[in-house]
């Protein structure tokens, strides 16, 4: 490399740096298009989401027939249902309805299947906050372990199905998942043991 090329390269490098700095500096005087979440927004963020936004899944358990269509159609086995028999009435009841949202790809197949062929109990909400310390705690639990639910008998006329508001079931399941999910409990216990060993 001769001296001229050498100094030309230095000139180009300096020019590039200055151009970059000029772009960066110009942002100081522009109105920001981002905003601080969650404490500096003037309306709930969920109201700003697009109409077809697919948020966290929820199941309105009181209109779930336990038909397992959603479970069967899910391509990656996110949904798990279990059933038992009520010891007194001998009626079939649902003992588990879990959705592993850590695996879910939000394809919406379960929602479509339930809407078309069942009651519409499973649906996407506009909820999106699912942050957790442990991946396993993203398994949303729509039935409390000790509280089995009776199966809903759907009327022939779908317009009679009492569809409730979207959101509360997802929020409740998320709280349950983060409160008493076995994965979370195991993780916390392991961490507590590690800290105790380190301290002793
Ligand atoms: S398809 Fe709908 S009604 Fe059937 S088990 Fe799933 S959520 Fe319940
Ligand atoms: S949205 Fe798709 S991946 Fe997620 S639970 Fe439903 S069918 Fe499975």
């Amino acid at each position: 490399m001769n001296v001229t090329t050498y100094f030309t390269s230095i000139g180009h490098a300096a020019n590039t740096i200055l151009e970059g700095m000029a772009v960066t500096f110009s942002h100081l005087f522009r109105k920001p298009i981002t905003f601080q979440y969650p404490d500096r927004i003037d309306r709930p963020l969920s109201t700003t989401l697009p109409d077809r936004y697919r948020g966290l899944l929820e199941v309105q358990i009181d209109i779930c027939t336990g038909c397992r269509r959603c479970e069967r159609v899910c391509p990656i086995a996110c949904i798990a249902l279990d059933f038992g028999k009520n010891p007194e009435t001998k009626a079939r009841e649902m003992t588990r309805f879990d959705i592993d949202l850590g695996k879910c790809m939000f394809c919406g197949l379960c929602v479509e299947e339930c809407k078309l062929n069942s009651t519409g109990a499973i649906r996407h909400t506009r909820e999106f906050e699912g942050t957790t310390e442990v991946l396993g705690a993203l398994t949303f639990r729509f039935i409390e372990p000790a509280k089995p639910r009776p199966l809903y008998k759907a009327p022939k006329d779908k317009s009679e199905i009492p569809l409730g508001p979207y959101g509360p079931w997802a929020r409740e399941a998320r709280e349950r998942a983060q409160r008493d999910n076995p994965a979370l409990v195991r993780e916390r216990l392991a961490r507590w043991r590690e800290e105790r060993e380190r301290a002793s």
Side-chain angles (χ1 to χ4, degrees), residues 5 10 28 50 65 75-76 85 94 110 112 120 177 183 189 198:
T5 315
I10 292 177
L28 290 176
T65 61
I76 45 176
K85 221 177 217 181
M94 207 185 305
C110 53
E112 287 300 310
L189 194 63
R198 240 180 281 134

Side-chain angles (χ1 to χ4, degrees), residues 58-61 63-65 67 110-124 152 154 158 161-164 166:
E58 77 172 351
V59 185
Q60 190 183 329
I61 280 293
I63 58 163
C64 174
T65 61
C67 64
C110 53
V111 176
E112 287 300 310
E113 181 65 17
C114 186
K115 197 160 84 182
L116 292 176
N117 296 313
S118 198
T119 59
I122 187 167
R123 62 258 181 117
H124 286 286
Y152 178 65
K158 278 196 173 191
I161 296 171
L163 273 177
Y166 284 34

Side-chain angles (χ1 to χ4, degrees), residues 3-185:
V3 177
T4 315
T5 315
Y6 179 72
F7 282 108
T8 309
S9 298
I10 292 177
H12 279 151
N15 201 29
T16 308
I17 291 169
L18 286 174
E19 272 177 20
M21 294 305 288
V23 171
T24 307
F25 193 68
S26 69
H27 279 271
L28 290 176
F29 305 101
R30 290 188 202 166
K31 192 167 180 277
I33 54 170
T34 53
F35 48 80
Q36 291 291 329
Y37 175 79
D39 53 345
R40 293 199 195 159
I41 55 174
D42 53 6
R43 59 197 163 124
L45 195 59
S46 57
T47 62
T48 67
L49 299 171
D51 288 344
R52 297 196 302 166
Y53 179 77
R54 291 181 187 171
L56 298 175
L57 284 167
E58 77 172 351
V59 185
Q60 190 183 329
I61 280 293
D62 59 0
I63 58 163
C64 174
T65 61
C67 64
R68 303 193 103 143
R69 285 192 168 96
C70 53
E71 188 186 34
R72 282 196 293 267
V73 83
C74 178
I76 45 176
C78 296
I79 302 177
L81 279 76
D82 282 339
F83 298 89
K85 221 177 217 181
N86 185 302
E88 284 162 22
T89 63
K90 307 291 177 215
R92 202 160 164 263
E93 54 188 14
M94 207 185 305
T95 53
R96 178 164 79 122
F97 197 131
D98 290 352
I99 306 180
D100 187 347
L101 286 164
K103 279 201 303 192
C104 176
M105 57 182 172
F106 295 82
C107 64
L109 285 175
C110 53
V111 176
E112 287 300 310
E113 181 65 17
C114 186
K115 197 160 84 182
L116 292 176
N117 296 313
S118 198
T119 59
I122 187 167
R123 62 258 181 117
H124 286 286
T125 62
R126 299 175 80 74
E127 299 290 313
F128 55 88
E129 290 176 321
T131 326
T132 175
E133 319 159 38
V134 181
L135 193 60
L138 278 175
T139 300
F140 280 21
R141 323 180 87 196
F142 291 90
I143 294 184
E144 287 187 53
K147 291 188 184 164
R149 302 285 303 225
L151 303 180
Y152 178 65
K153 292 223 173 359
K156 280 211 176 93
D157 181 358
K158 278 196 173 191
S159 67
E160 288 172 12
I161 296 171
L163 273 177
Y166 284 34
W169 300 84
R171 286 194 287 274
E172 196 187 309
R174 180 180 58 216
E175 276 164 28
R176 192 175 300 126
Q178 306 213 348
R179 191 181 57 228
D180 55 22
N181 189 298
L184 192 60
V185 174

